[in-house]
Amino acid sequence: MGKRDNRVAYMNPIAMARSRGPIQSSGPTIQDYLNRPRPTWEEVKEQLEKKKKGSKALAEFEEKMNENWKKELEKHREKLLSGSESSSKKRQRKKKEKKKSGRYSSSSSSSSDSSSSSSDSEDEDKKQGKRRKKKKNRSHKSSESSMSETESDSKDSLKKKKKSKDGTEKEKVRAKKKKSSEEREKATEKTKKKKKHKKHSKKKKKKAASSSPDSP
């Protein structure tokens, strides 16, 4: 049984396209895009200026909104001002009524008791004047004593701070000296140990040298 022949004839795609004929394109071609109508530089400038200025309808709408807002604000201000004025007037009336009532009460009481309490008031004024003088003298003395006490306390506190600082500095110096002395002692001990070790090694070498010629 022989092998089946699966070979296919080669078809040139370019030749097939030419044989089919020209293809009808549905959309615009490159030539149509290049040959499109273009605006001049002056027309472009006019369009840019129009964009910068903005639309007239939008400007008119903004003006109307601003006017409405202004009217509303004026109404609100008038309401607030009228309310504040009425409240201030009420307060003034209340104050005047209180003053009048106080005056009437004081005048009536003074007219009835003026003849009887004139001498008593003079005596009381003298006594009050003496008491005030005594209080002033006491307060002056107490303030001076308090000032002196505060100054003495501040001086004592400064002295204590200085003493504490001096003590801490001295302790630091002593600690440094102790550390340095300990380090020196350690170094001397290490050097001594090294010297002893060297002496022992030399003695061992001498013994070994002396014993070597006697050996058979």
Side-chain angles (χ1 to χ4, degrees), residues 53-92:
K53 287 179 181 178
S55 63
K56 292 180 180 179
L58 196 142
E60 290 176 355
F61 177 73
E62 285 180 351
E63 286 177 359
K64 286 180 182 178
M65 291 294 290
N66 287 326
E67 288 177 358
N68 292 326
W69 276 110
K70 284 178 183 178
K71 288 178 182 178
E72 288 180 359
L73 288 170
E74 285 176 358
K75 288 179 182 178
H76 191 61
R77 282 175 188 169
E78 287 176 357
K79 286 179 182 178
L80 289 171
L81 290 168
S82 64
S84 62
E85 286 177 357
S86 64
S87 63
S88 63
K89 285 178 181 178
K90 286 178 181 178
R91 287 175 185 173
Q92 287 176 1

Side-chain angles (χ1 to χ4, degrees), residues 104-153:
Y104 286 129
S105 63
S106 63
S107 62
S108 63
S109 62
S110 62
S111 62
S112 63
D113 298 331
S114 60
S115 60
S116 62
S117 64
S118 60
S119 60
D120 294 331
S121 64
E122 288 177 358
D123 294 330
E124 286 178 357
D125 291 331
K126 287 179 182 179
K127 288 178 182 179
Q128 286 179 357
K130 288 179 181 179
R131 286 176 184 174
R132 284 175 185 172
K133 285 180 182 178
K134 287 179 181 179
K135 285 181 180 179
K136 284 181 181 178
N137 291 323
R138 287 176 183 175
S139 64
H140 186 66
K141 288 178 181 178
S142 63
S143 64
E144 287 179 354
S145 63
S146 64
M147 288 289 286
S148 62
E149 286 177 358
T150 53
E151 287 177 357
S152 63
D153 292 331

Side-chain angles (χ1 to χ4, degrees), residues 2 19 25 34 43 46 49 51 85 87 90 94 98 102 105-106 113 123 126 131 154 157 162 174 186 195 201 203 216:
S19 65
S25 61
L34 293 170
E43 291 176 353
E46 289 177 358
E49 287 176 357
K51 284 181 181 178
E85 286 177 357
S87 63
K90 286 178 181 178
K94 286 179 181 179
K98 286 179 180 178
S105 63
S106 63
D113 298 331
D123 294 330
K126 287 179 182 179
R131 286 176 184 174
S154 63
S157 63
K162 285 180 181 179
R174 287 175 183 172
K186 287 179 181 179
K195 285 179 181 178
S201 62
K203 286 179 181 180

Side-chain angles (χ1 to χ4, degrees), residues 9-35:
Y10 175 73
M11 301 295 287
N12 192 352
I14 295 165
M16 292 287 287
R18 283 176 184 171
S19 65
R20 285 172 189 169
I23 299 165
Q24 292 180 358
S25 61
S26 60
T29 60
I30 295 165
Q31 288 180 357
D32 295 332
Y33 178 73
L34 293 170
N35 293 325

